[in-house]
Structure formats: C-alpha cells, structure tokens
Amino acid sequence: MAHNATSCASKWGENIIVLPPTAQLQALLTVIRDERTGRGDFVFYSDRIIRLLVEEGLNHLPVVPQTVKTPTGVQFPGVAFEGRICGVSIMRAGEAMEAGLRDCCRSVRIGKVSGYRCDEETAQPKLFYAKLPDDIAQRYCLLLDPMLATGGSCLKAIEVLLEQGVKEERILFLNLIASPEGIKNVQAKFPKLKVITAWVDEGLDAKQYITPGLGDFGDR
Ligand code: PRP
Ligand code: URA
C-alpha cells in the first residue's frame, strides 16, 4: 500500500484512518447531524464529506512510477495507479456514496450487498444479497457505508467479499461516522482491513444507534 503525506493513522491503529478534524469537516458534519436539516442539504453536505473520504481512500491505493513528457518538452517523473478497483455499497444507505466514488473514478464498477437490521434487539443484519463484479477477486474494493454502528453490517459484507476471493488487505471501508464499538469489532475480526472514517462518535444508544450520530442515514 502507498504511504502519503495526508494519511494519519489514528489512536485506533495504523489501519483506522480518521480524517483530520478540520473546521471545514466539523461544519459539514454539524449540518448533517442537525435534526432540522432537510433532505436537499443533507444530501449536498453528505456528498461533500463522501468526496473527502473517497479522495483519502484513493490515497491508500498503490502506485507505480510513470514518467510523462509535458507540453514544455520536459519529462515529469510521476506515478500511476497500479491496481484495478471497484466500489461495493452496503444497501441501502451505502448507495448514497456511489455517486461520490463515480465523481472521482468515472467508469468504476460498483457492486452491492445488502443486509437488514431486522432484529432490533441484537441489531444483527439478516437477509443477505450480493451482486458483485465477476473479477472482484483481482480488484481493490472500496466498501461503502456511511454508518458503522455495531459493525454487524460491515462484518457481513466483508465476509461476502472474502468468500468471493477478495484479499482482506485490499478492502478499504469508507464511512462517515463510526462508533468505537464498531471499530473495535471490525478491527478484531479483520485487522488487515483499512477503515477510513470522517469521525468517531461517543458510542451507541439503547437502540444500537450511533450517539450523538445523525439518526437513520437511509431515512434522511
Ligand atoms: C445502517 C447503516 C449500516 C448499518 C450500521 O443501515 O447504513 O448498514 O445500519 O449498523 P451496524 O454497524 O450496527 O450494522 P440500516 O440497517 O439502517 O439500513 P438502511 O441502509 O436501509 O437504512
Ligand atoms: N444506522 C443508521 O443509519 N444510523 C445509526 O446510528 C445506526 C445504524
């Protein structure tokens, strides 16, 4: 994996990357957390955070040297991305992150997995469905879900990817808000997974929702 100037491993470990808590990011998160924020603004400001997450995620993909000649006739010793990627969204809220990925990677292939937190007591996801690119085992996977609460949905999705032959170290989970519990759970089971999150909140409430969180992302 490539190392770069912007990536900063967090107190959670080198594979848990939390975006720098700039005033800009905090302001964006404040808008989407506010219960008074309507759908239009919620989508607009979430998209801005998603874009930051995607750009940071791409920073963690490997590159190889590539020299090009510029119109001034001079050689520029640059780099090019090495591997192929795909997006995998966890339905339904994760689908809201697909456009942000497409904005940065125009023709990226995107698969979907779905799990539902049917059981309100355990919050365990049930009913799993997956539609994934045939050659996913050869790709880096950007797994998309805005909320990491108990970690149940993320863990299920990763299991599906691993069953399809994707290497754990080639999965990058892009996420807007995480709970400490969710981070600990995914890290304990998949230590080589990279998590890129915009913010880590205080914890979970009695309904296993992230607190302070932003409520149900999919509904909003
Ligand atoms: C939300 C969210 C995650 C999951 C997080 O989806 O988008 O997939 O909950 O919780 P967990 O870490 O405890 O699994 P939800 O089940 O609410 O479905 P939705 O996307 O249809 O809103
Ligand atoms: N799903 C959400 O949308 N929000 C939470 O806080 C937890 C699960």
Side-chain angles (χ1 to χ4, degrees):
M1 288 272 179
H3 290 277
N4 61 78
T6 62
S7 84
C8 48
S10 66
K11 66 169 186 176
W12 304 98
E14 66 170 339
N15 283 338
I16 310 293
I17 291 107
V18 183
L19 294 185
T22 59
Q24 182 72 209
L25 176 60
Q26 291 188 55
L28 298 174
L29 282 163
T30 303
V31 175
I32 64 169
R33 287 180 192 276
D34 189 336
E35 64 175 5
R36 297 168 303 176
T37 298
R39 186 174 185 281
D41 277 348
F42 186 84
V43 170
F44 179 83
Y45 290 98
S46 299
D47 280 348
R48 286 193 53 199
I49 304 171
I50 290 163
R51 186 70 182 258
L52 297 175
L53 289 167
V54 171
E55 294 288 3
E56 179 57 27
L58 296 175
N59 273 335
H60 294 272
L61 297 175
V63 291
V64 288
Q66 186 176 41
T67 298
V68 294
K69 191 166 89 175
T70 77
T72 63
V74 177
Q75 302 282 324
F76 175 77
V79 296
F81 282 122
E82 189 185 29
R84 285 186 304 159
I85 65 164
C86 68
V88 174
S89 61
I90 301 180
M91 290 162 70
R92 115 196 105 146
E95 292 175 292
M97 300 174 74
E98 294 177 2
L101 178 57
R102 286 212 169 88
D103 284 346
C104 299
C105 310
R106 259 184 300 181
S107 52
V108 66
R109 297 197 64 185
I110 295 186
K112 292 176 194 291
V113 291
S114 87
Y116 300 93
R117 297 204 329 175
C118 297
D119 186 335
E120 284 299 327
E121 268 177 29
T122 64
Q124 284 304 300
K126 291 182 178 167
L127 276 181
F128 233 72
Y129 153 90
K131 182 152 178 42
L132 300 166
D134 299 338
D135 58 352
I136 194 164
Q138 278 79 55
R139 293 176 184 264
Y140 285 85
C141 280
L142 301 177
L143 183 61
L144 312 172
D145 194 330
M147 307 303 280
L148 176 65
T150 63
S153 310
C154 178
L155 289 172
K156 272 277 182 210
I158 293 166
E159 281 165 20
V160 172
L161 297 182
L162 297 181
E163 277 163 22
Q164 295 301 311
V166 180
K167 294 194 178 70
E168 185 183 322
E169 59 273 25
R170 286 183 165 220
I171 305 173
L172 289 85
F173 179 57
L174 305 189
N175 162 257
L176 271 85
I177 301 182
S179 73
E181 293 87 338
I183 288 183
K184 282 185 207 143
N185 287 341
V186 295
Q187 199 174 32
K189 190 137 187 227
F190 300 116
K192 289 185 262 178
L193 166 83
K194 217 158 220 156
V195 175
I196 295 158
T197 186
W199 205 267
V200 182
D201 265 7
E202 283 162 23
L204 298 174
D205 66 13
K207 284 172 62 192
Q208 307 284 44
Y209 268 61
I210 300 172
T211 178
L214 51 68
D216 189 313
F217 190 98
D219 285 354
R220 295 194 65 194

